[in-house]
Amino acid sequence: MNTFYYASPLGVLKIIHEGQTIFALDFVKRKSRQTLSFKKQPEQKIAKQLDEYFCSQRTTFQLELAPSGTSFQLRVFQKLCAIPFGKTVSYGQLAKAIGQPQAAQAVGQAVRNNPIALIIPCHRVIGSNGKLIGFAGGLWRKKWLLKHERVV
């Protein structure tokens, strides 16, 4: 596994990958002394797609993802990837989409444990009342991402 750091408008992202497969992407909670440069071709491909997303030139990612999680979590992550750019769904709608309409709370826990933030778009999940709730990277980032995608 390799790690590199990417400077985004929302702060530094830590990306764990092997070749072109991403296993984790998370917001760094404190300043990192790690280099933000990347030299390997897979890292350049990942960074290029992130650059394009943040410059409003990309609405979908073409990257291989390998999130870890339980079979339930993996089903949730798969449905998260199906939420179109510029759209949101509620936790309840997501629970219905995986065939478990009574599991909105469990879906919320799965969303919270998303190991590949941003690319698996958990920021597109909102409360049933339309309010922004729950985002491991902080609600200010969720609001920024949804505004960037012109949802709010």
Side-chain angles (χ1 to χ4, degrees), residues 74-92:
L74 294 175
R75 285 189 7 238
V76 172
F77 301 155
Q78 184 178 25
K79 288 297 182 187
L80 285 171
C81 289
I83 304 169
F85 182 92
K87 301 291 182 190
T88 59
V89 300
S90 71
Y91 293 95

mmCIF file of all heavy atoms in Angstrom, residues 74-92:
data_model
loop_
_atom_site.group_PDB
_atom_site.id
_atom_site.type_symbol
_atom_site.label_atom_id
_atom_site.label_comp_id
_atom_site.label_asym_id
_atom_site.label_seq_id
_atom_site.Cartn_x
_atom_site.Cartn_y
_atom_site.Cartn_z
ATOM 1 N N LEU A 74 -20.820 -2.481 2.361
ATOM 2 C CA LEU A 74 -20.445 -2.475 0.952
ATOM 3 C C LEU A 74 -21.656 -2.230 0.052
ATOM 4 O O LEU A 74 -21.555 -1.538 -0.963
ATOM 5 C CB LEU A 74 -19.721 -3.762 0.576
ATOM 6 C CG LEU A 74 -18.352 -3.955 1.240
ATOM 7 C CD1 LEU A 74 -17.783 -5.329 0.899
ATOM 8 C CD2 LEU A 74 -17.378 -2.848 0.860
ATOM 9 N N ARG A 75 -22.809 -2.767 0.433
ATOM 10 C CA ARG A 75 -24.040 -2.498 -0.324
ATOM 11 C C ARG A 75 -24.401 -1.012 -0.256
ATOM 12 O O ARG A 75 -24.808 -0.418 -1.258
ATOM 13 C CB ARG A 75 -25.197 -3.351 0.204
ATOM 14 C CG ARG A 75 -25.074 -4.790 -0.246
ATOM 15 C CD ARG A 75 -26.268 -5.692 0.046
ATOM 16 N NE ARG A 75 -27.467 -5.119 0.578
ATOM 17 C CZ ARG A 75 -28.030 -5.491 1.737
ATOM 18 N NH1 ARG A 75 -27.500 -6.436 2.480
ATOM 19 N NH2 ARG A 75 -29.156 -4.935 2.142
ATOM 20 N N VAL A 76 -24.245 -0.438 0.933
ATOM 21 C CA VAL A 76 -24.517 0.994 1.098
ATOM 22 C C VAL A 76 -23.533 1.813 0.256
ATOM 23 O O VAL A 76 -23.940 2.738 -0.452
ATOM 24 C CB VAL A 76 -24.462 1.406 2.590
ATOM 25 C CG1 VAL A 76 -24.540 2.925 2.736
ATOM 26 C CG2 VAL A 76 -25.584 0.733 3.374
ATOM 27 N N PHE A 77 -22.246 1.467 0.311
ATOM 28 C CA PHE A 77 -21.247 2.209 -0.461
ATOM 29 C C PHE A 77 -21.561 2.142 -1.959
ATOM 30 O O PHE A 77 -21.414 3.123 -2.683
ATOM 31 C CB PHE A 77 -19.828 1.684 -0.203
ATOM 32 C CG PHE A 77 -19.387 1.738 1.234
ATOM 33 C CD1 PHE A 77 -18.405 0.877 1.691
ATOM 34 C CD2 PHE A 77 -19.941 2.623 2.152
ATOM 35 C CE1 PHE A 77 -17.979 0.903 3.003
ATOM 36 C CE2 PHE A 77 -19.525 2.655 3.481
ATOM 37 C CZ PHE A 77 -18.537 1.792 3.908
ATOM 38 N N GLN A 78 -22.011 0.971 -2.409
ATOM 39 C CA GLN A 78 -22.353 0.808 -3.822
ATOM 40 C C GLN A 78 -23.509 1.741 -4.205
ATOM 41 O O GLN A 78 -23.487 2.380 -5.257
ATOM 42 C CB GLN A 78 -22.716 -0.648 -4.105
ATOM 43 C CG GLN A 78 -22.985 -0.928 -5.561
ATOM 44 C CD GLN A 78 -23.300 -2.405 -5.807
ATOM 45 O OE1 GLN A 78 -23.750 -3.121 -4.924
ATOM 46 N NE2 GLN A 78 -23.065 -2.843 -7.024
ATOM 47 N N LYS A 79 -24.509 1.837 -3.337
ATOM 48 C CA LYS A 79 -25.647 2.724 -3.616
ATOM 49 C C LYS A 79 -25.247 4.196 -3.525
ATOM 50 O O LYS A 79 -25.778 5.036 -4.256
ATOM 51 C CB LYS A 79 -26.820 2.439 -2.668
ATOM 52 C CG LYS A 79 -27.535 1.137 -2.974
ATOM 53 C CD LYS A 79 -28.165 1.149 -4.346
ATOM 54 C CE LYS A 79 -28.904 -0.151 -4.604
ATOM 55 N NZ LYS A 79 -29.389 -0.241 -5.975
ATOM 56 N N LEU A 80 -24.309 4.501 -2.637
ATOM 57 C CA LEU A 80 -23.817 5.878 -2.561
ATOM 58 C C LEU A 80 -23.210 6.295 -3.900
ATOM 59 O O LEU A 80 -23.421 7.415 -4.367
ATOM 60 C CB LEU A 80 -22.755 6.024 -1.458
ATOM 61 C CG LEU A 80 -23.238 6.029 -0.019
ATOM 62 C CD1 LEU A 80 -22.055 5.961 0.935
ATOM 63 C CD2 LEU A 80 -24.082 7.262 0.263
ATOM 64 N N CYS A 81 -22.476 5.389 -4.510
ATOM 65 C CA CYS A 81 -21.837 5.681 -5.802
ATOM 66 C C CYS A 81 -22.855 5.929 -6.907
ATOM 67 O O CYS A 81 -22.526 6.542 -7.926
ATOM 68 C CB CYS A 81 -20.885 4.552 -6.188
ATOM 69 S SG CYS A 81 -19.406 4.505 -5.156
ATOM 70 N N ALA A 82 -24.077 5.485 -6.708
ATOM 71 C CA ALA A 82 -25.122 5.661 -7.719
ATOM 72 C C ALA A 82 -25.858 6.999 -7.585
ATOM 73 O O ALA A 82 -26.666 7.343 -8.447
ATOM 74 C CB ALA A 82 -26.123 4.507 -7.637
ATOM 75 N N ILE A 83 -25.584 7.752 -6.519
ATOM 76 C CA ILE A 83 -26.235 9.057 -6.352
ATOM 77 C C ILE A 83 -25.583 10.028 -7.335
ATOM 78 O O ILE A 83 -24.380 10.278 -7.257
ATOM 79 C CB ILE A 83 -26.099 9.597 -4.911
ATOM 80 C CG1 ILE A 83 -26.654 8.601 -3.896
ATOM 81 C CG2 ILE A 83 -26.804 10.955 -4.784
ATOM 82 C CD1 ILE A 83 -26.312 8.952 -2.456
ATOM 83 N N PRO A 84 -26.350 10.576 -8.253
ATOM 84 C CA PRO A 84 -25.762 11.454 -9.273
ATOM 85 C C PRO A 84 -25.211 12.753 -8.691
ATOM 86 O O PRO A 84 -25.712 13.262 -7.674
ATOM 87 C CB PRO A 84 -26.926 11.758 -10.217
ATOM 88 C CG PRO A 84 -28.002 10.794 -9.884
ATOM 89 C CD PRO A 84 -27.779 10.375 -8.459
ATOM 90 N N PHE A 85 -24.224 13.272 -9.347
ATOM 91 C CA PHE A 85 -23.670 14.598 -9.049
ATOM 92 C C PHE A 85 -24.826 15.595 -9.050
ATOM 93 O O PHE A 85 -25.696 15.564 -9.925
ATOM 94 C CB PHE A 85 -22.654 14.957 -10.139
ATOM 95 C CG PHE A 85 -21.975 16.277 -9.944
ATOM 96 C CD1 PHE A 85 -20.771 16.355 -9.271
ATOM 97 C CD2 PHE A 85 -22.519 17.445 -10.461
ATOM 98 C CE1 PHE A 85 -20.119 17.567 -9.107
ATOM 99 C CE2 PHE A 85 -21.884 18.668 -10.300
ATOM 100 C CZ PHE A 85 -20.677 18.727 -9.620
ATOM 101 N N GLY A 86 -24.853 16.464 -8.051
ATOM 102 C CA GLY A 86 -25.893 17.486 -7.994
ATOM 103 C C GLY A 86 -27.209 17.028 -7.397
ATOM 104 O O GLY A 86 -28.175 17.775 -7.391
ATOM 105 N N LYS A 87 -27.264 15.796 -6.894
ATOM 106 C CA LYS A 87 -28.491 15.262 -6.289
ATOM 107 C C LYS A 87 -28.199 14.831 -4.862
ATOM 108 O O LYS A 87 -27.054 14.549 -4.487
ATOM 109 C CB LYS A 87 -29.004 14.053 -7.069
ATOM 110 C CG LYS A 87 -29.310 14.323 -8.518
ATOM 111 C CD LYS A 87 -30.515 15.224 -8.663
ATOM 112 C CE LYS A 87 -30.826 15.445 -10.138
ATOM 113 N NZ LYS A 87 -31.814 16.462 -10.344
ATOM 114 N N THR A 88 -29.244 14.747 -4.061
ATOM 115 C CA THR A 88 -29.119 14.223 -2.702
ATOM 116 C C THR A 88 -30.218 13.194 -2.466
ATOM 117 O O THR A 88 -31.230 13.183 -3.170
ATOM 118 C CB THR A 88 -29.254 15.341 -1.635
ATOM 119 O OG1 THR A 88 -30.524 15.984 -1.783
ATOM 120 C CG2 THR A 88 -28.125 16.351 -1.731
ATOM 121 N N VAL A 89 -29.999 12.345 -1.478
ATOM 122 C CA VAL A 89 -31.015 11.402 -1.012
ATOM 123 C C VAL A 89 -30.991 11.424 0.509
ATOM 124 O O VAL A 89 -30.000 11.809 1.117
ATOM 125 C CB VAL A 89 -30.783 9.957 -1.528
ATOM 126 C CG1 VAL A 89 -30.797 9.894 -3.043
ATOM 127 C CG2 VAL A 89 -29.496 9.377 -0.974
ATOM 128 N N SER A 90 -32.072 10.993 1.104
ATOM 129 C CA SER A 90 -32.117 10.894 2.564
ATOM 130 C C SER A 90 -31.601 9.522 2.992
ATOM 131 O O SER A 90 -31.511 8.596 2.168
ATOM 132 C CB SER A 90 -33.543 11.103 3.073
ATOM 133 O OG SER A 90 -34.345 9.985 2.736
ATOM 134 N N TYR A 91 -31.313 9.392 4.267
ATOM 135 C CA TYR A 91 -30.888 8.093 4.798
ATOM 136 C C TYR A 91 -31.989 7.060 4.595
ATOM 137 O O TYR A 91 -31.724 5.913 4.266
ATOM 138 C CB TYR A 91 -30.505 8.221 6.278
ATOM 139 C CG TYR A 91 -29.270 9.054 6.480
ATOM 140 C CD1 TYR A 91 -29.355 10.422 6.764
ATOM 141 C CD2 TYR A 91 -28.004 8.491 6.388
ATOM 142 C CE1 TYR A 91 -28.215 11.196 6.943
ATOM 143 C CE2 TYR A 91 -26.863 9.261 6.558
ATOM 144 C CZ TYR A 91 -26.979 10.599 6.843
ATOM 145 O OH TYR A 91 -25.848 11.362 6.999
ATOM 146 N N GLY A 92 -33.241 7.484 4.757
ATOM 147 C CA GLY A 92 -34.370 6.583 4.545
ATOM 148 C C GLY A 92 -34.484 6.123 3.098
ATOM 149 O O GLY A 92 -34.742 4.953 2.828
#
